[in-house]
Amino acid sequence: MRISKRNRKKGSALITTVLVAVLVCAMVTLMLSLSLYGQSLAKANGSQVVRQDRLDMLTSLFLEFGVEPVEDFGYDIQVRQLDSGRSLMVVRNADDDENCVMLVERDDGKLVKRLYNVYYPYFDYTPNRTVSVCVGTEKVALFEKELSHSDYKTGGPFRLYGKWKLENAVPQSGATESYAFVTICSTSQSPVESKHANRLTESCDGWVNLKGSDGNPITFNNLSEFSKVAFGMKGMSGTLTVADMIIVNAAGEIVYSTANDPHLFGFGDLRRAQYHCTWSCSVEPIKYIGYADATWPVRTRDVTNYIPNRVVSIDVPQQYDQEVAKLIIDPKLSVFATGKAYTLTGRIRVNLKGLSATNTLPSYAKLYGLGLTCDYMTTGEWIPIVDEHNEPTVFYGGQKDDISFSLVNGYGTLELADVKIVDANGNVIYDMCVDSAFEKDVTYPAHVGLGGIWKSFAWEGEPSAHPFTVNIKVNPILQTHTQADYQVPVFAESVPNS
């Protein structure tokens, strides 16, 4: 039987349509399976989140080989079956500690050859703690970790591990050299002029392992003099960030952890933290750091993802022309027995936006009167209110000094959340969450007090000149919090495999 040309064309078109439909279905199935796989990876790996563009990249590689899912051996390895009967493996962190995806062809469980080694982060790394420098016009900006010879005179050689990245890197006008760097040198040396362990000359596509220019861990031997690990930027604007740096001795023990350094917690910026820790920051030519246009943010991951129930905030506008805006708790009130110890817990968040209209001194927030003085710059997230030893803060009934939370020399917002005060026996003396003054959202002018344990808001100068406001915010959905929410987090860490 003869088939007409018209029918042949129809048949050919139908076959083509079916093939296209089958191919589309296969691609959709593969992409769906990869998407589900990505979701399972995110769940399995906690703080790491699979990005869609990474999945799209893998999808295109799989399609190139006509790969379909066969078996999942966990979040590190995926096996795909090839038409040839061989299988294709996707291995994360395959040869070294890079965040890479490596595709290898296998036959009977033996490695045949490497097909791809894609150094393109499949995961978004979420650091526990970062230290950064954000540079505008400063020609050289540095941040350094002191290495005391008494701490590192034995046990070496020592190795550095961590991650770093350079963002928004732009060479400065007139600069002869533009780069970010890491070096280890003595404190008598200029980090810029010392031999650099590695340099970054352009923005990174995500986090990069902190290694030397030879691809090996950065090391230093036992010290006989004070030294430092220095990071910096020269002739370049942008942001250089170091994450979760650890120092490991020859025995494989972590002898220093940035993430768990108690003296880096809470201050929000090295310009304040440097007075309490072994890190410091500076610019060249040397000037008082408060007048530099660079900033040195320090950020700690909030493992609790804290959501407050009640918040009271000081909101200072840019035109506010005075030196200090305060929110005060008065320990001389009768509710606090004279001489008795009380523990205050809660969270604080600071967002400094700039200097006040007529002030040229550095701006910061201050906690005063709890047996210590704590200074904060922009914190980024809600952080527990703790003392310099990362313990809950203690004050005494009838003590002379008020407990004050202040914004000094600047404008922005200081927020307090879920403040609670208990006595030595654990009896709750005050709880912001049941305070009748915190039952609804409301805004007060600066000279109006909340009452209760909260003293009238204080200021320096006439409040009518440029009054700040105090805002109360109430979460309509009550959140359950535990004591752990008001403690400094401790992060589990391990030593990478070189």
Side-chain angles (χ1 to χ4, degrees):
M1 180 176 66
R2 297 180 62 184
I3 301 176
S4 67
K5 290 183 178 180
R6 175 180 295 180
N7 287 335
R8 282 200 300 271
K9 289 182 178 179
K10 288 183 177 178
S12 177
L14 179 60
I15 292 172
T16 301
T17 301
V18 171
L19 289 175
V20 170
V22 170
L23 181 59
V24 170
C25 289
M27 292 178 66
V28 170
T29 300
L30 178 58
M31 292 181 72
L32 179 60
S33 103
L34 284 170
S35 178
L36 292 174
Y37 173 55
Q39 294 175 18
S40 69
L41 287 178
K43 293 178 180 178
N45 208 36
S47 64
Q48 293 178 324
V49 180
V50 179
R51 279 175 45 172
Q52 185 60 46
D53 58 346
R54 272 57 162 173
L55 293 176
D56 293 342
M57 180 197 71
L58 284 181
T59 300
S60 64
L61 289 175
F62 291 153
L63 288 175
E64 182 179 340
F65 284 89
V67 180
E68 293 186 5
V70 172
E71 190 172 4
D72 183 355
F73 285 95
Y75 80 88
D76 282 312
I77 301 175
Q78 271 261 310
V79 179
R80 312 288 183 179
Q81 190 68 42
L82 294 177
D83 293 338
S84 64
R86 291 175 175 175
S87 59
L88 196 67
M89 298 186 70
V90 182
V91 185
R92 190 175 73 85
N93 292 345
D95 277 357
D96 50 25
D97 193 44
E98 298 288 345
N99 278 335
C100 69
V101 176
M102 186 177 75
L103 306 185
V104 294
E105 194 177 10
R106 300 182 69 90
D107 185 14
D108 297 329
K110 296 180 180 180
L111 176 65
V112 177
K113 64 178 179 178
R114 176 182 301 181
L115 299 174
Y116 285 93
N117 197 17
V118 187
Y119 285 89
Y120 186 64
Y122 181 37
F123 293 92
D124 279 340
Y125 172 72
T126 302
N128 293 319
R129 179 170 292 158
T130 59
V131 182
S132 306
V133 59
C134 305
V135 181
T137 62
E138 302 293 347
K139 300 304 180 185
V140 174
L142 307 165
F143 58 99
E144 305 165 351
K145 165 69 176 78
E146 178 189 278
L147 302 175
S148 168
H149 70 278
S150 61
D151 293 332
Y152 298 98
K153 65 182 179 181
T154 61
F158 299 91
R159 292 165 289 157
L160 266 62
Y161 294 98
K163 294 187 183 293
W164 66 334
K165 66 178 175 179
L166 180 61
E167 300 174 285
N168 304 316
V170 178
Q172 294 173 342
S173 176
T176 57
E177 293 182 295
S178 301
Y179 56 84
F181 67 89
V182 56
T183 186
I184 298 178
C185 61
S186 72
T187 53
S188 61
Q189 287 181 285
S190 165
V192 179
E193 297 174 359
S194 68
K195 182 180 179 180
H196 296 159
N198 205 351
R199 290 181 177 181
L200 300 173
T201 58
E202 59 184 9
S203 296
C204 303
D205 182 16
W207 291 99
V208 179
N209 282 329
L210 180 60
K211 292 186 176 183
S213 56
D214 59 0
N216 295 316
I218 299 170
T219 63
F220 62 95
N221 293 318
N222 294 334
L223 298 179
S224 58
E225 60 179 340
F226 277 98
S227 300
K228 56 191 175 184
V229 181
F231 301 89
M233 295 175 66
K234 178 182 179 181
M236 178 181 284
S237 61
T239 300
L240 175 66
T241 303
V242 176
D244 300 334
M245 188 188 79
I246 58 174
I247 300 176
V248 178
N249 64 15
E253 302 166 325
I254 297 175
V255 294
Y256 175 77
S257 163
T258 304
N260 289 313
D261 186 336
H263 303 296
L264 278 177
F265 181 79
F267 296 99
D269 195 293
L270 273 185
R271 286 174 291 176
R272 285 291 157 186
Q274 67 179 345
Y275 300 115
H276 307 272
C277 67
T278 57
W279 288 79
S280 62
C281 55
S282 61
V283 295
E284 295 180 5
I286 296 174
K287 68 174 72 171
Y288 176 50
I289 204 66
Y291 297 138
D293 76 345
T295 60
W296 288 263
V298 180
R299 297 289 180 265
T300 303
R301 181 167 65 92
D302 182 5
V303 295
T304 67
N305 295 314
Y306 191 83
I307 300 175
N309 288 311
R310 305 288 187 269
V311 176
V312 58
S313 64
I314 301 173
D315 296 280
V316 181
Q318 184 173 0
Q319 69 271 22
Y320 182 67
D321 202 24
Q322 308 305 318
E323 292 183 357
V324 181
K326 294 182 180 180
L327 183 60
I328 292 175
I329 296 175
D330 186 357
K332 294 181 286 295
L333 294 174
S334 59
V335 68
F336 303 119
T338 300
K340 300 294 184 182
Y342 297 91
T343 299
L344 182 149
T345 58
R347 290 256 179 160
I348 185 171
R349 183 168 66 178
V350 179
N351 181 20
L352 296 175
K353 299 177 181 179
L355 296 175
S356 298
T358 60
N359 282 311
T360 57
L361 296 174
S363 59
Y364 58 96
K366 178 183 286 289
L367 164 60
Y368 181 77
L370 290 169
L372 77 163
T373 297
C374 285
D375 294 341
Y376 304 90
M377 300 190 83
T378 297
T379 60
E381 299 187 50
W382 288 104
I383 60 172
I385 300 173
V386 293
D387 66 15
E388 58 186 347
H389 304 295
N390 290 341
E391 298 293 336
T393 51
V394 175
F395 69 95
Y396 293 88
Q399 69 180 37
K400 178 182 178 181
D401 295 326
D402 288 336
I403 303 161
S404 63
F405 302 88
S406 310
L407 276 180
V408 182
N409 298 331
Y411 66 95
T413 303
L414 183 155
E415 300 172 281
L416 303 175
D418 303 333
V419 172
K420 181 183 288 188
I421 299 173
V422 300
D423 64 16
N425 297 318
N427 300 311
V428 177
I429 305 301
Y430 173 80
D431 187 346
M432 182 184 284
C433 292
V434 298
D435 189 333
S436 59
F438 293 83
E439 292 180 345
K440 62 181 180 179
D441 293 359
V442 63
T443 297
Y444 293 106
H447 57 283
V448 176
L450 290 173
I453 69 165
W454 299 97
K455 193 175 180 180
S456 297
F457 308 111
W459 57 86
E460 293 186 13
E462 292 298 324
S464 59
H466 297 289
F468 58 89
T469 60
V470 175
N471 293 288
I472 292 175
K473 296 179 181 179
V474 177
N475 187 347
I477 303 175
L478 186 66
Q479 306 293 313
T480 300
H481 297 132
T482 66
Q483 190 60 37
D485 292 328
Y486 305 103
Q487 298 172 347
V488 175
V490 177
F491 300 101
E493 295 182 296
S494 60
V495 179
N497 298 320
S498 298

